[in-house]
Amino acid sequence: MTALRSALFTLLLSVWTVICGTLVLCTYVLPESPRFKSCYAVCQMWRYGFMGMCYVLLGFRTQLQGRENISAEPAIYLAKHQSAWETIALQIWTPPAIFVLKRELLRIPFFGWALWGLRMIWIDRSAGKAALGKIVTQGQRRLAQGLSIIIFPEGTRVAPGHMGKFKAGGARLAVRTGAPVIPVAHNAGELWPRNAFLKKPGTITVRFGPAIDPTGLSDSELNDRVETWIREAMRELPPVRR
């Protein structure tokens, strides 16, 4: 049954992505500001469709903790990265937000087209300091435009029970701009492991932490605070209920 549900989810999500990706293409004829708003609205519709399929087909349930910590003003969300699920789900709860993502994702048909229209910050992960500089310069512009930014400081998906090395991009952006940092912990990888076709039903817990003021902190000090909070929060999250 899990295999059947997962296969149906993959099929329907592919169809839904083609439909919404085509609608995104239609927004490209608009001027920049209405184009972004229209593209974001289509993508938000796609996200709700995604979440609905997760609920109905995969049996995913979500328990949200720390909703009061979600900022109404532009902020930087530094989140745990375990699966593909949080790359979509987090934008359901945050105010308009974009991601820092790897350039390769832009090449995916339909899905990548939407990323182009959403003012995402894309980087070449092999570029080293140049990629870090791009996060800071483009991140400053996005925050000034009223957008929040979601960054996975581990840089890649890490299996449940493990923590990856936190990269400096998100912390440096926060220190340079003074934007508050909101750490995010979750256990989505327990149900949707990295690169896994089979997704198990159960309840995912997502916890938003209190905002951290970067004023007076160095990049490494801020990263340490975020990593400590996420590590402790991961230990405290309730076991995944199936």
Side-chain angles (χ1 to χ4, degrees), residues 69-225:
N69 295 322
I70 298 173
S71 175
E73 301 299 323
I76 299 170
Y77 295 82
L78 297 185
K80 186 78 179 92
H81 199 13
Q82 290 187 341
S83 75
W85 180 85
E86 65 270 12
T87 64
I88 299 164
L90 290 180
Q91 289 176 303
I92 293 290
W93 300 298
T94 61
I98 62 162
F99 281 96
V100 173
L101 49 85
K102 58 184 180 181
R103 182 176 58 183
E104 292 79 3
L105 293 176
L106 300 176
R107 300 171 185 159
I108 301 174
F110 298 100
F111 182 77
W113 301 344
L115 298 180
W116 274 110
L118 287 174
R119 301 179 185 169
M120 300 288 184
I121 301 172
W122 59 267
I123 59 171
D124 180 351
R125 292 195 295 189
S126 65
K129 290 184 179 179
L132 185 59
K134 187 172 185 178
I135 291 173
V136 173
T137 55
Q138 291 201 12
Q140 289 174 325
R141 293 188 197 126
R142 300 298 182 266
L143 290 166
Q145 291 168 342
L147 297 171
S148 292
I149 301 174
I150 301 172
I151 299 176
F152 301 116
E154 292 166 294
T156 189
R157 288 166 287 184
V158 178
H162 300 274
M163 290 283 287
K165 179 179 174 59
F166 274 40
K167 294 177 173 55
R172 180 163 299 181
L173 175 61
V175 169
R176 297 297 185 278
T177 61
V181 172
I182 299 174
V184 186
H186 64 85
N187 51 14
E190 299 282 352
L191 303 183
W192 187 330
R194 178 177 181 174
N195 298 328
F197 172 74
L198 296 178
K199 289 87 172 172
K200 305 170 186 176
T203 300
I204 297 170
T205 301
V206 180
R207 179 181 296 182
F208 289 86
I212 300 173
D213 183 355
T215 303
L217 299 178
S218 67
D219 300 351
S220 59
E221 289 171 335
L222 179 55
N223 247 352
D224 287 345
R225 289 197 185 186

Side-chain angles (χ1 to χ4, degrees), residues 48-70:
Y48 278 108
F50 168 88
M51 295 295 281
M53 292 179 202
C54 286
Y55 184 88
V56 174
L57 297 175
L58 301 181
F60 282 12
R61 303 294 183 267
T62 306
Q63 178 183 10
L64 190 62
Q65 299 177 349
R67 185 187 291 271
E68 68 279 3
N69 295 322
I70 298 173

Side-chain angles (χ1 to χ4, degrees), residues 19-32:
I19 293 171
C20 291
T22 303
L23 290 176
V24 164
L25 272 183
C26 296
T27 70
Y28 281 18
V29 301
L30 300 172
E32 182 179 357

